Amino acid sequence: MKEFNYLVVGAGSIGRRHFDNLKVLGKQAELLPWRQFDDGMFDATLKQKKGRIAVVIATGTGIRLELISRCAEYEVPLYIEKPLAYTRDQLSQIFSIPMELQRRSVIGFMMRYHPIVQKMAGFKLSGPFRSTLAIGHNVNQWRKEWSFSESYASDPEGGGVLLDLCHEIDMACILDPELRVTSVSCLEHPAFGGVDVASSISAQGTRLGLCTIHMDYLAPQLIRRGSFEGLHERFDYDFQKNAIVVSGNGPDCEQKLPQERNSLFLSLMKDFISLAEEQDTPFNKLFPRMDLVRNSCNAIADAWEKRRFVGQIEADLT
């Protein structure tokens, strides 16, 4: 049987990570920088290798629809970086691809592989009334040799912190699939109009009660924590401390759940390889198969469309 091939479109930090991980996993992979992308060659490769090729899409969010449509034409399984799209119209077009292909494709919600998120998913609140998720960090400290002003993050169409850090929206939707975004308040930077550098999402659900999701590019030290509260118990998590605390029924119970970050990407990529190559292997119980994560994708698009800029803040965004 001929070897299965993987094309990674987009050579930014996340594209290079996926390419390197495919190599580590022993796969034949090719990295295609978007700035040097050749439409004709791409289509010819998909046609020639149909049935033994998969594509990882790691481009800017605003330019994914065309690639997804092309891959769908040749029934090519897809690993699509999050977020899938940022408007309901885009989502409708993307989810119009055949269901069979959706079932062989994944969205890059790799935080679903973190043991803290696994614990979250299994925790049931009685009488839930309040939940909070927060993530913030100075964007200039994220990556070496990286510039915010020259990145997709600074683009008013498809950029901004809400889309960049949308894992928190996905996590909320894991706990409450019926979560409904009600409003979003944002701050922008004077030099980057229309780009949210801090966003606060208000939502409501049957399993989370009143929910607030805060995210920003500004915090001097990384913050990534939250809590879920019910009438009789509370669940706190902190990714910086790699710990959860369950309280309310008896003494507080703390548990440490460390996880190396790239292992999350590797685990999701392993599952995608098994899916794309139709291997008979068990998947993570929160596996972000495309057809199974539409509620999260809808919530992200709803939040982006509901953004309301309420002020500005000056910060060093270079």
Side-chain angles (χ1 to χ4, degrees):
M1 182 177 178
K2 292 184 178 180
E3 188 171 14
F4 213 87
N5 293 262
Y6 292 83
L7 297 181
V8 180
V9 184
S13 59
I14 187 64
R16 290 194 300 272
R17 181 189 291 272
H18 290 318
F19 175 74
D20 291 343
N21 284 342
L22 283 164
K23 289 292 192 180
V24 166
L25 294 170
K27 293 300 172 179
Q28 181 68 39
E30 183 178 355
L31 185 63
L32 305 176
W34 179 248
R35 289 182 175 86
Q36 301 164 22
F37 188 75
D38 186 315
D39 294 356
M41 186 174 295
F42 182 72
D43 287 352
T45 301
L46 297 185
K47 184 176 181 179
Q48 177 189 1
K49 298 184 177 181
K50 182 179 176 180
R52 52 188 177 86
I53 191 169
V55 171
V56 179
I57 298 179
T59 62
T61 308
I63 52 179
R64 291 179 186 158
L65 177 57
E66 179 184 350
L67 288 169
I68 293 169
S69 299
R70 286 181 173 179
C71 292
E73 182 180 346
Y74 297 100
E75 303 171 356
V76 174
L78 294 161
Y79 181 129
I80 309 166
E81 255 311 314
K82 59 79 188 169
L84 179 58
Y86 56 92
T87 70
R88 280 290 190 129
D89 179 63
Q90 292 171 347
L91 283 180
S92 294
Q93 294 180 67
I94 290 172
F95 278 106
S96 69
I97 69 174
M99 183 58 68
E100 182 180 349
L101 182 56
Q102 292 185 40
R103 294 191 182 112
R104 293 186 67 202
S105 301
V106 304
I107 311 303
F109 293 124
M110 51 77 182
M111 288 302 295
R112 289 170 171 243
Y113 287 75
H114 199 291
I116 287 178
V117 178
Q118 298 277 320
K119 286 287 186 180
M120 276 186 205
F123 189 78
K124 304 299 181 184
L125 287 172
S126 59
F129 63 89
R130 177 171 57 200
S131 55
T132 304
L133 301 89
I135 177 170
H137 194 204
N138 183 339
V139 71
N140 295 317
Q141 298 175 20
W142 286 13
R143 309 177 185 100
K144 294 180 180 179
E145 300 178 1
W146 181 85
S147 168
F148 174 82
S149 62
E150 296 177 3
S151 72
Y152 294 125
S154 66
D155 187 347
E157 288 297 320
V161 73
L162 187 152
L163 299 181
D164 228 344
L165 302 181
C166 63
H167 285 296
E168 263 58 21
I169 301 176
D170 178 53
M171 286 190 279
C173 288
I174 290 171
L175 282 106
D176 196 333
E178 298 178 7
L179 192 74
R180 180 174 60 89
V181 174
T182 55
S183 65
V184 182
S185 298
C186 307
L187 297 177
E188 63 183 351
H189 189 282
F192 301 98
V195 177
D196 57 311
V197 297
S199 287
S200 183
I201 300 167
S202 294
Q204 189 274 331
T206 57
R207 300 183 189 177
L208 289 181
L210 299 176
C211 178
T212 301
I213 305 171
H214 177 83
M215 47 190 71
D216 66 70
Y217 282 142
L218 308 169
Q221 299 294 325
L222 175 61
I223 296 169
R224 196 167 199 183
R225 57 179 178 252
S227 63
F228 312 104
E229 296 181 71
L231 294 175
H232 304 293
E233 63 279 298
R234 173 181 170 121
F235 182 103
D236 289 272
Y237 71 89
D238 191 324
F239 285 110
Q240 273 296 88
K241 297 179 180 179
N242 284 313
I244 62 171
V245 178
V246 177
S247 54
N249 290 319
D252 291 359
C253 177
E254 181 174 3
Q255 187 176 2
K256 293 287 187 178
L257 297 166
Q259 188 76 30
E260 193 274 322
R261 187 166 183 263
N262 194 54
S263 69
L264 306 176
F265 290 97
L266 277 169
S267 295
L268 176 49
M269 187 60 75
K270 286 178 184 177
D271 274 357
F272 173 60
I273 288 169
S274 295
L275 188 69
E277 300 184 19
E278 300 181 283
Q279 299 171 2
D280 186 18
T281 56
F283 297 111
N284 182 296
K285 64 181 180 180
L286 298 179
F287 186 40
R289 204 176 70 190
M290 183 175 176
D291 62 305
L292 301 178
V293 297
R294 189 160 184 173
N295 65 315
S296 288
C297 295
N298 286 342
I300 292 165
D302 286 346
W304 196 87
E305 290 189 331
K306 283 184 166 69
R307 291 182 310 160
R308 183 169 63 94
F309 288 92
V310 298
Q312 294 187 333
I313 184 167
E314 292 194 27
D316 179 19
L317 297 178
T318 54

